[in-house]
Amino acid sequence: MNVLLIGSGGRESALAWKIAQSPKLTKLYAAPGNPGIADIATNLNIKVSDFDGIAKAVKDNDIRLVVVGPEVPLIDGLADYLRSIENPPLVCGPTKDGAQLEGSKDFAKQFMVRHNIPTARYQTFNGDTYNQAVDFLKTLQPPYVLKADGPAAGKGVIIENDFQVACNELKEMFSGKFGKSSAEVVIEEFLSGIELSVFVLTDGHGGYVTLPEAKDYKRIGENDEGLNTGGMGSVSPVPFADEEFRQKIDTHIIKPTIDGLIAEKIDYRGFIFFGLINVKGDPYVIEYNVRMGDPETESVMLRIEGDLLDLMEAAANGDLKGKSIKFNPKTAATVMLVSGGYPGDYEKGKEISGCETVKTSQVFHAGTKMKDGKLVTDGGRVIAVTALGDDISLALAAALQDANKITFDGAYHRRDIGKDLIKFGRKSK
Ligand code: AMP
Ligand code: GLY
């Protein structure tokens, strides 16, 4: 079959790498893709927001399956649109109603409450209910968690220790700090624990497979210090997610979510990303995303054995029941090479060298482009390097060794990805 992958980041590079291994694949296209993806796919110069352009590409290239990487086109209704065209393709990615799980924090919280899914206590407010919001804040212990209801490119969550500062932040959010995304604000209880990311692929009919779990590292500095970024690395598996903990996730979080979607007549076909936190041995949902995580996907793809394209096609076709997924028991570690200055101001257009010298790890492009025949940086997060090893230390050492072979002016990466998890030992299978 011909497949069209939507997106251009590290996540899509890893998905493309995995899809390209499938015996079911005839030809892979990406819109818009990136120079790394171009090695295994045909890139089409179409923006992810250009729904007509994507529909035309589906028709022109006889596409059977569209795999949507990022959330924004899903929240904006790309899956609905593609399912409405003549000779519609299969789409791996939810329609607008399902994408609200990520598009509206208030919708996600109400959904969790309706279906008894463990999550932090919360209430939602707007500018007209500011005084009630302050009263609710008074019932909570610091730090205070304020979340813009709508999408805010990962920046809409404020965690603040000082009560007065939190009230001021709230006022600013209602006044448009995140545009109309913060017209409504979810205020919730702070949960303390270690976070992890769990992914399922589901078919809208109750069938689902759970992918390898992962942990991502969001801060720019080692030991999780400094500003938040789009993600500096990841590891999979997460050693504290033992059999008992994973069973709790399945029983209390995944199944009620899948059942809840069906009960609410939401035909959800695609990936669900559960952002979880381990509170004293019990998993709670911090957030849902309606896509795979980045840079978790880079680690997760190396651990999936067998044909992910077959599973994505089945999910999009409502037909996953009876299918299973196998994991490589090794550990995957991903190290992200970023531009100097990121996540603050940084320069683009720096020449990248050394990618071809990497033989052991996988090199996934995130923010790169070709300029005058040369590969140059084109974003804050530039390249992800992912390696497998027998444990976290070995996987990390292998990824670091290869990351050091790739150079560009100002390049930076963390050297401690996964190190906080070593104390949990290796997961018993
Ligand atoms: P979100 O966009 O909802 O994932 O929030 C961004 C980050 O804020 C999460 O990855 C957590 O680290 C943190 N966070 C969000 N909600 C809470 C909460 N209720 N308790 C503790 N940390 C939280
Ligand atoms: N790594 C977190 C995310 O993709 O949202």
Side-chain angles (χ1 to χ4, degrees):
M1 78 182 102
N2 291 343
V3 176
L4 173 60
L5 174 65
I6 306 295
S8 62
R11 166 185 46 219
E12 288 76 25
S13 297
L15 285 168
W17 174 80
K18 189 68 191 162
I19 292 169
Q21 295 166 22
S22 169
K24 289 188 121 177
L25 182 71
T26 310
K27 198 156 182 222
L28 179 60
Y29 296 85
N34 66 36
I37 293 175
D39 287 341
I40 46 178
T42 301
N43 286 347
L44 305 172
N45 189 14
I46 303 170
K47 292 202 179 90
V48 304
S49 56
D50 178 3
F51 291 7
D52 286 335
I54 292 170
K56 185 169 180 310
V58 166
K59 188 161 174 255
D60 291 350
N61 299 295
D62 191 22
I63 300 294
R64 168 161 170 85
L65 176 70
V66 178
V67 178
V68 186
E71 69 278 12
V72 172
L74 294 167
I75 293 169
D76 291 343
L78 177 59
D80 310 64
Y81 182 82
L82 292 175
R83 283 178 192 150
S84 73
I85 65 177
E86 202 184 332
N87 298 321
L90 293 173
V91 182
C92 183
T95 41
K96 233 175 168 172
D97 52 358
Q100 287 183 95
L101 282 181
E102 181 165 0
S104 165
K105 301 262 185 212
D106 179 58
F107 176 87
K109 295 295 284 193
Q110 289 195 35
F111 179 89
M112 288 184 256
V113 169
R114 278 197 294 276
H115 301 289
N116 239 331
I117 295 164
T119 189
R121 187 161 70 87
Y122 87 104
Q123 282 188 30
T124 304
F125 300 94
N126 59 38
D128 296 336
T129 52
Y130 173 75
N131 290 337
Q132 287 98 306
V134 171
D135 288 342
F136 182 63
L137 272 181
K138 286 182 187 155
T139 71
L140 300 173
Q141 299 294 318
Y144 304 101
V145 182
L146 313 176
K147 298 185 171 184
D149 174 57
K155 298 197 172 74
V157 176
I158 289 170
I159 300 186
E160 176 54 54
N161 271 303
D162 184 85
F163 178 76
Q164 202 48 54
V165 178
C167 292
N168 294 344
E169 283 286 355
L170 190 57
K171 249 188 205 146
E172 281 184 27
M173 288 172 92
F174 291 145
S175 312
K177 178 166 182 162
F178 301 107
K180 63 179 185 335
S181 287
S182 61
E184 305 235 329
V185 174
V186 168
I187 300 181
E188 69 180 32
E189 181 185 35
F190 181 83
L191 298 175
S192 190
I194 310 182
E195 289 176 55
L196 78 160
S197 307
V198 169
F199 308 95
V200 306
L201 180 60
T202 186
D203 66 359
H205 288 73
Y208 69 94
V209 291
T210 304
L211 279 57
E213 80 284 352
K215 181 173 190 289
D216 73 338
Y217 291 80
K218 293 194 175 76
R219 302 292 182 129
I220 186 74
E222 296 187 352
N223 302 313
D224 285 332
E225 284 171 8
L227 294 174
N228 253 325
T229 71
M232 296 297 295
S234 64
V235 290
S236 174
V238 178
F240 66 77
D242 57 14
E243 184 58 39
E244 186 190 348
F245 190 71
R246 278 182 291 162
Q247 201 56 54
K248 285 182 186 174
I249 295 172
D250 195 54
T251 307
H252 301 302
I253 292 172
I254 298 177
K255 282 208 175 86
T257 300
I258 304 282
D259 292 346
L261 289 166
I262 291 173
E264 299 195 14
K265 301 203 166 22
I266 295 175
D267 184 0
Y268 194 112
R269 303 177 188 210
F271 293 105
I272 309 178
F273 168 162
F274 300 82
L276 305 182
I277 189 162
N278 176 354
V279 183
K280 297 189 186 115
D282 287 320
Y284 285 72
V285 179
I286 292 275
E287 65 168 350
Y288 286 114
N289 294 307
V290 297
R291 52 172 172 83
M292 288 296 292
D294 196 352
E296 290 96 327
T297 307
E298 290 87 323
S299 289
V300 167
M301 289 302 132
L302 262 76
R303 292 199 54 230
I304 295 177
E305 290 186 335
D307 191 353
L308 182 65
L309 178 55
D310 177 56
L311 295 175
M312 291 194 290
E313 181 195 27
N317 206 18
D319 196 16
L320 255 181
K321 281 216 175 91
K323 301 251 181 197
S324 61
I325 182 165
K326 282 214 182 82
F327 306 165
N328 184 327
K330 287 193 175 189
T331 294
T334 297
V335 170
M336 189 65 80
L337 298 172
V338 304
S339 296
Y342 174 80
D345 292 339
Y346 58 86
E347 289 176 14
K348 295 182 183 177
K350 308 285 183 194
E351 190 175 338
I352 304 167
S353 57
C355 290
E356 66 295 339
T357 65
V358 174
K359 300 283 182 260
T360 316
S361 307
Q362 286 307 318
V363 174
F364 296 122
H365 291 224
T368 68
K369 73 171 185 186
M370 295 303 292
K371 192 176 172 206
D372 304 328
K374 289 185 175 143
L375 184 68
V376 300
T377 65
D378 194 39
R381 297 191 302 155
V382 177
I383 280 183
V385 178
T386 308
L388 287 172
D390 285 335
D391 60 24
I392 291 177
S393 303
L394 293 168
L396 177 63
L400 286 174
Q401 194 175 29
D402 283 333
N404 283 323
K405 294 181 184 159
I406 300 174
T407 54
F408 54 89
D409 190 21
Y412 165 77
H413 63 265
R414 277 179 63 170
R415 295 162 302 176
D416 66 337
I417 300 300
K419 280 199 169 162
D420 58 322
L421 297 177
I422 291 173
K423 63 173 185 262
F424 294 101
R426 288 175 63 185
K427 182 158 75 177
S428 52
K429 282 299 300 173

